[in-house]
């Protein structure tokens, strides 16, 4: 039996020649220093690759059932969730392995950056890596659209308005992306094509290039503080290092395998315990109530959008991502020589800390700050009973207008309601009647966060609404006087 | 080697998990599916989602007329209940909820709400007095005449002024901000709602019903349907007397 297999192997090898190509690749030497405990720094790249394999397998599984048609996508996901044996698990695994892939990619990039491994001669490897990151994020985004639930609509709306701002070709890009000027069935087909053909195609192509570059340039040794990179001498030094190197096929590969297996087990466990994500609701654009969120890798960008003044929106939507990607891309061009050890590159270390802290804080805000209005608050959040009890008939009428005009969707009373704007429980102590009327009539100047209601309200509505807002004070507190909104002049 | 044992342990655990696969915590609960696929037609969640904001958590103590009011539910015709929910009341903050009127609720949902109001909150107690009709006098009832505001003013002085002040301009002391002679207030409430408030009062806020004697002088006698027409005529006149709200900002700044 063994003999037969070897015969078969030989037969193929003579024709394919893998013992001359593949085996040397696997056996390629790596620097000895990368084989010790330092070797654990090198496992993230292969873990990303493992997750990619899982994505391909689960993706094929999902595509056997999923129907990329607007009227059936939702139903087919529900079918997977509830009826197909382990369909729910397939969906969950596809989601969490995708998330794991993004995490591993970020870890991999961070390691490469901190160790200066992108310096000569591996600049191109890094740049291709940045493209791979973009492809992966593109997969994440287009995958979320395929869920075709309110989150998907939201993502499309933002993507559309982002693309629409591109000068000159904007409308064309929107049309190419959505298949029409509005979000509909055509968009789903486009994003399906992107998710299963276009982006994976690009991803795999660049991945082959990336791996080829890794093999060709070799794996960098862990940085040593006394050995800066000098392109003139690096080649010879590295060669010298490899002479005492060890083959990849061995402990290094085992380490990769072990870490990948551990990562997969974690992801499988999460998928089994947490279950599939969404679809959050039938794909009905008129459906309020949902509180759509972008997927987590994009939360920071959308939090940034929500927190920024409207004037900066175009910049953040359009210029900022390009700048960020550009900077990432150009990292090895800016510094491709010199020290690699983190101890000699305080600025690089500081940059990593600052970037991750900022991303973390923004993501946290994206999760907690409910910057999208709460669409149902106007009919479902009661006016607090203590407010009702102390109100005059006029003020009661004002509170009705407050609900009827959807103010409650953005403004909470006693903590209940939307949180897009400030809680108005005590606004009567902060703003005078005239200031209140001005705020309601004109909204946020420039038309950003709060709409202007001046033209949408009758004088009677404005009167009772102002009465109501003025009355929003803790009992015994006088109404605000002109400019008493600063704390020092408050009684 | 210890790690081999650990690995075996992992494999075993994974196998065990697979074996009891049906009970994985991540598996979607079929119970949640019904809710997504089927339309909601039960009263409590519908009311909570769509009505609490104005009519109050228990149908009381909201700014809009209380729906959890046995007297109201005893006199309001079913058809009118459905009509109001479906079509809203134009010019007032009561929105139209029917899909055909631009709202979100299907016919079945509107019916579920209308019937639910009565089955949940209507009391079985027999209300013995002759109850005024919910709807005002109309053409085919030849015995009744349209309301008269002069008579209404006389009635107001007896039945209402004690709390709402002379001419409805606000009472004294704790009633100081109880004015209803306010064009902006009246502009946003329908005659129908005024009629209903006079009949049922607001038990949740301390306003007596058409028969209630609290806070009213001794010579007050239960209001009749035509008398209520007269009172509504008076309030409607107050609504119109200032025309287009000449100066909207003169109303009661507390």
């Amino acid at each position: 039996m063994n003999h037969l297999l070897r015969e078969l192997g030989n037969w193929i090898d003579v024709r394919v020649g893998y013992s001359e190509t593949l085996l040397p690749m696997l056996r390629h030497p790596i620097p000895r220093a990368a084989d010790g405990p330092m070797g654990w720094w090198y496992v993230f790249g292969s873990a990303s690759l493992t997750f990619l394999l899982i994505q391909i397998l689960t993706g094929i599984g999902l595509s056997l059932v999923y129907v990329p048609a607007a009227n059936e996508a939702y139903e087919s996901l529900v079918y997977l969730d509830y009826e197909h044996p382990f369909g729910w698990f397939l969906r969950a695994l596809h989601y969490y392995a995708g998330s794991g892939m993004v995490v591993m990619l970020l870890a991999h990039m961070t390691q490469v950056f901190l160790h200066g491994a992108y310096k000569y001669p591996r600049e191109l490897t890094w740049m291709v890596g940045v493209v791979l990151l973009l492809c992966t994020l593109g997969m994440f985004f287009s995958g979320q659209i395929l869920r075709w639930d309110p989150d998907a609509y939201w993502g499309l709306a933002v993507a559309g308005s982002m693309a629409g701002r591109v000068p000159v070709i904007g409308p064309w890009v929107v049309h190419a992306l959505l298949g029409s000027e509005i979000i509909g069935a055509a968009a789903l087909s486009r994003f399906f094509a992107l998710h299963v053909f276009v982006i994976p195609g690009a991803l795999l192509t660049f991945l082959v290039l990336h791996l080829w570059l890794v093999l060709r340039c070799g794996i960098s040794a862990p940085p040593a503080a006394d050995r800066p990179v000098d392109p003139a001498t690096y080649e010879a030094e590295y060669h010298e290092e490899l002479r005492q190197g060890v083959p990849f096929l061995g402990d290094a590969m085992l380490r990769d395998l072990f870490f990948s297996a551990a990562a997969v087990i974690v992801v499988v466990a999460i998928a089994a315990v947490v279950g599939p994500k969404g679809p959050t609701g039938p794909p009905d654009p008129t459906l309020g109530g949902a509180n759509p969120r972008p997927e987590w890798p994009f939360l920071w960008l959308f939090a940034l959008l929500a927190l920024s003044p409207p004037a900066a929106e175009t910049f953040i939507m359009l210029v900022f991502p390009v700048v960020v990607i550009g900077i990432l891309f150009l990292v090895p061009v800016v510094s491709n020589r010199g020290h690699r050890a983190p101890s000699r590159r305080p600025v690089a270390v500081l940059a990593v800390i600052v970037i991750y802290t900022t991303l973390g804080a923004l993501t946290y805000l994206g999760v907690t700050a409910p910057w999208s209005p709460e669409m149902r608050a106007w009919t479902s959040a009661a006016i607090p009973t203590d407010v009702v009890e102390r109100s005059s008939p006029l003020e009661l009428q004002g509170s009705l207008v407050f609900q009827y005009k959807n103010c409650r969707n953005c403004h909470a009373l006693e903590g209940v309601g939307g949180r897009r704007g400030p809680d108005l429980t005590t606004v009567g102590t902060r703003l005078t009647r005239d200031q209140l009327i001005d705020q309601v009539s004109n909204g946020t100047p420039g038309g950003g966060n709060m709409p202007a209601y001046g033209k949408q309200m009758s004088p009677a509505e404005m009167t009772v609404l102002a009465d109501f807002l003025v009355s929003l004070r803790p009992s015994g507190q006088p109404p605000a006087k002109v400019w008493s909104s600063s704390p020092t002049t408050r009684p | 080697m210890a790690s081999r044992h650990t690995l075996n342990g992992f494999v075993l655990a994974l196998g065990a998990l697979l074996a009891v696969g049906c009970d994985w915590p991540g598996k979607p609960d079929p119970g949640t599916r019904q809710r997504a696929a089927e339309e909601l037609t039960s009263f409590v969640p519908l009311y909570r989602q769509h009505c609490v904001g104005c009519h109050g958590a228990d149908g009381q103590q909201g700014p809009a007329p209380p729906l959890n009011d046995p007297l109201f539910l005893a006199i309001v015709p079913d058809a009118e209940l459905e009509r109001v929910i479906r079509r809203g009341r134009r010019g007032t903050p009561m929105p139209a909820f029917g899909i055909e009127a631009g709202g979100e609720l299907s016919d079945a949902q509107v019916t579920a709400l209308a019937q639910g109001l009565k089955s949940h909150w209507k009391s079985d107690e027999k209300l013995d007095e002759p109850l005024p009709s919910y709807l005002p006098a109309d053409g085919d009832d030849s015995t009744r005449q349209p309301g008269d505001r002069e008579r209404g003013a006389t009635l107001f002085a007896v039945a209402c002024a004690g709390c709402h002040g002379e001419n409805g301009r606000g009472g004294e002391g704790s009633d100081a901000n109880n004015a209803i002679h306010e064009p902006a207030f009246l502009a946003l409430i329908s005659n129908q709602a005024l009629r209903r408030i006079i009949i049922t009062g607001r038990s949740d806020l301390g306003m007596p019903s058409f028969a209630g004697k609290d806070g009213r002088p001794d010579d007050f006698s239960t209001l009749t349907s035509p008398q209520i027409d007269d009172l509504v005529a008076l309030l409607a006149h107050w609504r119109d007397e200032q025309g287009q709200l000449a100066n909207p900002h003169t109303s009661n700044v507390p």
Side-chain angles (χ1 to χ4, degrees):
Chain A
M1 183 69 194
N2 242 346
H3 179 71
L4 243 157
L5 273 182
R6 198 167 305 133
E7 283 283 281
L8 185 66
N10 272 340
W11 189 88
I12 296 177
D13 189 24
V14 168
R15 283 149 186 88
V16 177
Y18 66 78
S19 64
E20 289 151 34
T21 51
L22 219 58
L23 277 187
M25 278 191 201
L26 285 178
R27 289 214 192 95
H28 74 275
I30 60 170
R32 187 164 287 275
D35 196 38
M38 280 307 277
W40 288 105
W41 284 105
Y42 292 74
V43 296
F44 302 117
S46 60
S48 320
L49 199 59
T50 309
F51 281 134
L52 177 63
L53 285 179
I54 295 188
Q55 288 308 83
I56 294 175
L57 293 179
T58 51
I60 291 175
L62 289 175
S63 70
L64 296 179
V65 177
Y66 179 76
V67 187
N71 50 350
E72 283 171 73
Y74 176 76
E75 277 308 316
S76 64
L77 292 185
V78 171
Y79 172 80
L80 271 169
D81 270 3
Y82 294 103
E83 275 168 42
H84 201 79
F86 284 98
W88 65 271
F89 182 69
L90 208 58
R91 289 201 54 226
L93 190 58
H94 196 64
Y95 176 74
Y96 288 105
S99 299
M101 189 170 157
V102 175
V103 172
M104 287 304 142
L105 272 183
L106 291 179
H108 181 51
M109 280 186 96
T110 312
Q111 179 260 323
V112 167
F113 180 75
L114 281 178
H115 285 180
Y118 60 85
K119 298 197 177 195
Y120 181 87
R122 302 184 179 84
E123 297 98 323
L124 201 56
T125 322
W126 167 275
M127 291 179 181
V128 174
V130 172
V131 176
L132 288 176
L133 177 71
L134 294 182
C135 286
T136 306
L137 291 178
M139 288 302 279
F140 218 110
F141 191 84
S142 54
Q144 153 190 317
I145 305 294
L146 299 191
R147 228 185 273 136
W148 210 239
D149 59 4
D151 287 343
Y153 269 99
W154 205 85
L156 278 179
V158 175
S161 81
M162 230 160 160
R165 286 168 202 242
V166 179
V168 188
I169 57 163
W172 181 83
V173 175
V174 172
H175 196 99
L177 216 56
L178 303 184
S180 72
E181 270 63 43
I182 52 159
I183 297 167
L188 182 54
S189 313
R190 305 256 158 154
F191 274 85
F192 183 71
L194 279 179
H195 189 74
V196 301
F197 299 117
V198 182
I199 306 181
L203 186 84
L204 293 178
T205 312
F206 282 103
L207 181 63
V208 169
L209 186 56
H210 190 73
L211 292 179
W212 166 249
L213 287 169
V214 169
L215 282 175
R216 196 186 136 71
C217 305
I219 288 176
S220 67
D226 54 346
R227 288 173 67 186
V229 174
D230 178 0
T233 57
Y234 183 84
E235 223 61 81
E237 280 168 26
Y238 186 67
H239 211 72
E240 198 51 40
E241 228 164 347
L242 282 194
R243 292 237 290 217
Q244 309 150 26
V246 293
F248 172 71
L249 197 72
D251 277 356
M253 188 149 165
L254 273 183
R255 236 188 330 265
D256 278 2
L257 280 180
F258 183 86
F259 182 77
S260 289
V264 169
I265 286 173
V266 168
V267 161
V268 165
I270 293 179
V273 172
V274 183
K277 189 164 188 275
T280 53
D284 180 354
T286 60
L287 212 75
N291 191 3
R293 293 279 148 125
E295 281 300 342
W296 67 267
F298 311 104
L299 270 176
W300 64 277
L301 184 60
F302 292 102
L304 194 64
L305 262 181
L307 295 175
S308 59
E313 227 164 62
T314 303
F315 174 80
I316 290 175
M317 277 195 164
L318 207 61
V319 186
F320 187 68
V322 175
V323 170
V324 170
I325 294 167
I327 291 178
L328 267 183
F329 209 75
L330 293 181
V331 159
V333 176
V334 174
S335 78
N336 77 332
R337 56 178 66 219
H339 279 293
R340 287 180 51 208
S343 58
R344 297 294 187 94
R345 292 160 62 228
V347 178
V349 176
L350 203 66
V352 167
I353 293 174
V354 168
I355 289 171
Y356 273 104
T357 316
T358 315
L359 286 184
L362 281 173
T363 304
Y364 175 78
L365 282 175
V367 174
T368 53
W371 26 260
S372 52
E374 200 175 306
M375 298 318 254
R376 275 245 159 88
W378 70 289
T379 59
S380 67
I383 300 284
T385 49
D386 62 303
V387 173
V388 172
E389 268 159 16
R390 67 169 191 241
S391 287
S392 71
L394 269 170
E395 290 154 6
L396 286 181
Q397 201 69 269
S399 66
L400 284 167
V401 171
F402 186 76
Q403 300 287 86
Y404 185 63
K405 293 289 178 185
N406 296 0
C407 311
R408 194 69 181 275
N409 294 1
C410 292
H411 292 288
L413 291 176
E414 298 185 3
V416 184
R419 288 167 173 270
R420 184 76 179 83
D423 188 315
L424 296 182
T425 312
T426 58
V427 74
T429 61
R430 263 179 281 148
L431 299 175
T432 66
R433 191 185 169 85
D434 286 340
Q435 288 167 334
L436 286 164
I437 290 177
D438 181 54
Q439 170 80 34
V440 177
S441 309
N442 302 320
T444 311
N449 293 326
M450 173 160 159
Y453 283 88
K455 297 209 176 68
Q456 302 175 32
M457 280 205 208
S458 69
E461 284 172 327
M462 191 63 90
T463 304
V464 295
L465 183 61
D467 276 341
F468 170 65
L469 293 174
V470 168
S471 81
L472 286 175
R473 297 173 266 127
S475 59
Q477 280 240 33
K481 299 191 188 65
V482 179
W483 300 125
S484 74
S485 49
S486 80
T488 45
T489 54
R490 236 185 245 167
Chain B
M1 205 164 104
S3 70
R4 168 147 302 150
H5 288 289
T6 334
L7 204 68
N8 281 342
F10 264 132
V11 173
L12 268 179
L14 214 66
L17 261 180
L18 267 171
V20 294
C22 343
D23 292 338
W24 285 12
K27 188 171 183 184
D29 171 11
T32 54
R33 179 183 182 179
Q34 291 314 25
R35 244 175 287 153
E38 229 173 68
E39 188 182 71
L40 189 64
T41 50
S42 58
F43 172 75
V44 174
L46 276 177
Y47 181 84
R48 205 175 282 151
Q49 264 179 30
H50 299 285
C51 319
V52 162
C54 300
H55 289 284
D58 298 311
Q60 285 184 339
Q61 286 188 300
L67 301 177
N68 179 1
D69 180 324
L71 184 48
F72 163 68
L73 292 172
I75 58 174
V76 65
D78 290 350
E80 177 64 10
L81 214 46
E82 279 206 26
R83 206 192 61 80
V84 177
I85 299 173
R86 186 166 289 132
R87 313 282 292 272
R89 287 244 171 90
R90 275 178 78 90
T92 79
M94 173 66 197
F97 284 95
I99 285 179
E100 73 279 9
E104 290 186 36
L105 301 184
S106 68
D107 274 356
Q109 289 175 317
V110 170
T111 310
L113 271 168
Q115 288 172 353
L117 285 174
K118 292 214 171 178
S119 62
H120 275 75
W121 289 327
K122 192 174 170 180
S123 104
D124 292 331
E125 256 175 76
K126 206 79 198 93
L127 301 155
D128 36 303
E129 322 204 28
L131 301 178
S133 69
Y134 174 80
L135 296 171
D138 51 22
D140 51 78
D141 185 355
S142 51
T143 56
R144 265 167 70 179
Q145 295 170 0
D148 176 286
R149 68 178 155 92
E150 306 281 323
R151 283 199 304 261
T154 323
L155 280 166
F156 191 91
V158 180
C160 321
C163 300
H164 291 291
E166 203 176 321
N167 261 322
R169 296 285 186 185
E172 281 149 28
S174 63
D175 291 335
N177 72 350
N178 217 354
I180 53 172
H181 191 158
E182 291 284 356
F185 162 73
L186 292 166
L188 298 170
I189 188 168
S190 69
N191 286 355
Q192 180 60 59
L194 287 172
R195 179 178 176 84
R196 178 247 140 114
I197 297 278
I198 297 173
I199 298 173
T200 65
R202 284 207 60 156
S203 54
D204 53 344
L205 297 179
M207 159 147 174
S209 73
F210 72 106
K213 304 230 178 324
D214 288 347
R216 283 170 168 156
D218 296 337
D219 58 343
F220 170 80
S221 58
T222 299
L223 295 168
T224 63
S225 231
Q227 285 179 322
I228 296 169
D229 287 341
D230 297 338
L231 282 164
V232 172
L234 173 72
L235 295 177
H237 171 69
W238 286 346
R239 176 193 292 140
D240 297 334
E241 70 192 350
Q242 265 178 320
Q244 264 313 75
L245 283 180
N247 183 356
H249 303 324
T250 50
S251 49
N252 71 335
V253 186

